[in-house]
Amino acid sequence: MSKVTVTPESLVVLEDVVKTYHMGEVDVTALNHTDLVLDRGEFVVILGPSGSGKTTLLNLIGGIDSPTAGRIIIDGEDISHYGQRELTLFRRRTVGFVFQFFNLIPTLTARENVDFALQLSGRGRRGDDRGREDSAHLLAKVGLSERLEHFPSQLSGGEQQRVAVARALAKKPALVLGDEPTGNLDFRTGTLVLSAMREVNRLLGTTVVIVTHNQPLAAAADRVLHFREGRISRIEVNAHPIPPEDVEW
């Protein structure tokens, strides 16, 4: 019998999930019999030291990796035993990623980077004016309406990360995952990025999950998952999460 309680609001469901990596003659268990439910529209921060399992969890619910055992159900879709092609299609239609190192295409402008994401998702086509309007609208949402035609090399680190946020939102995903999205940013630009992700969470009802070492970010989350030695050691609920701009980094 499942240990988790699933409701119509449940977007992410993990049931007794294990992830073991084979390192030569040694097996390393990165995730150890984890149960978890994340609801639609939640803003969740995952905290823990390096090697605690938090990035492994992010990779599993994002379809980047597959579990050794257990079930992972995302938006009603059991992805536990998907092959690489099925996982690729799942990621394209369901998940947006925001990484620490931006991963923008350097030869494309800000608008074109978002256009490309739209094309991959099937929401835009090359030369489609409607798609260009969508990408401009997304970039305006993150405060970059004046930087549409700039290349990544012409943008600051914070601006590049905001392009990455807009790109992640291009396909209107049910789930946005951030792996240290503010890790390389100063206080001001990190706050702008976090504010943009929180705004999208509230306006569109997108579930946002952020992995970070930055303890103060927890104050802005609806829930905080603390990881230790491959397990969730503690869950905190913030009845009154503070606005990202008020976080004391």
Side-chain angles (χ1 to χ4, degrees):
M1 181 178 293
S2 174
K3 299 176 186 177
V4 298
T5 301
V6 180
T7 73
E9 294 305 308
S10 303
L11 179 71
V12 176
V13 179
L14 275 70
E15 296 181 342
D16 199 27
V17 171
V18 176
K19 180 60 183 180
T20 301
Y21 294 101
H22 303 291
M23 315 285 284
E25 296 182 358
V26 178
D27 288 347
V28 177
T29 299
L31 210 62
N32 193 359
H33 297 283
T34 295
D35 296 300
L36 177 66
V37 175
L38 302 178
D39 286 341
R40 300 175 192 277
E42 277 200 280
F43 192 90
V44 177
V45 165
I46 302 176
L47 293 174
S50 295
S52 62
K54 59 187 189 301
T55 296
T56 297
L57 173 69
L58 205 72
N59 290 341
L60 289 172
I61 66 178
I64 294 175
D65 207 347
S66 297
T68 304
R71 297 177 73 210
I72 300 175
I73 302 167
I74 312 292
D75 202 12
E77 189 173 355
D78 189 340
I79 67 170
S80 310
H81 303 291
Y82 276 8
Q84 286 306 309
R85 175 173 171 74
E86 292 170 306
L87 286 174
T88 297
L89 293 174
F90 160 75
R91 291 193 300 269
R92 283 185 183 177
R93 50 173 192 265
T94 305
V95 188
F97 295 94
V98 183
F99 298 103
Q100 182 175 2
F101 296 104
F102 318 142
N103 291 346
L104 301 179
I105 301 172
T107 55
L108 300 182
T109 64
R111 186 207 293 266
E112 288 167 342
N113 265 279
V114 180
D115 282 344
F116 184 64
L118 284 166
Q119 290 162 22
L120 283 179
S121 70
R123 290 190 56 225
R125 293 288 180 266
R126 190 176 300 278
D128 184 344
D129 287 339
R130 187 171 54 188
R132 286 173 59 81
E133 289 171 5
D134 284 346
S135 59
H137 178 68
L138 285 165
L139 288 163
K141 269 190 173 301
V142 295
L144 292 177
S145 56
E146 304 300 318
R147 310 290 274 173
L148 302 181
E149 307 306 330
H150 287 66
F151 291 94
S153 62
Q154 299 171 312
L155 301 172
S156 70
E159 288 171 335
Q160 289 183 60
Q161 190 61 298
R162 282 184 277 161
V163 174
V165 171
R167 181 186 58 187
L169 299 170
K171 55 194 166 188
K172 296 185 177 178
L175 181 63
V176 170
L177 305 178
D179 190 358
E180 293 285 1
T182 62
N184 286 331
L185 306 178
D186 59 32
F187 165 76
R188 179 178 175 278
T189 50
T191 298
L192 288 171
V193 167
L194 193 64
S195 294
M197 295 180 78
R198 187 46 142 161
E199 180 183 9
V200 164
N201 158 258
R202 285 184 166 149
L203 293 180
L204 302 182
T206 302
T207 300
V208 176
V209 182
I210 295 175
V211 161
T212 184
H213 287 92
N214 196 339
Q215 176 81 38
L217 296 189
D222 299 320
R223 279 201 295 166
V224 185
L225 311 182
H226 294 266
F227 260 77
R228 192 172 187 84
E229 297 180 348
R231 292 179 180 269
I232 300 173
S233 60
R234 181 161 52 98
I235 298 178
E236 292 179 65
V237 177
N238 287 336
H240 304 288
I242 69 173
E245 57 269 23
D246 292 340
V247 171
E248 297 182 4
W249 292 43

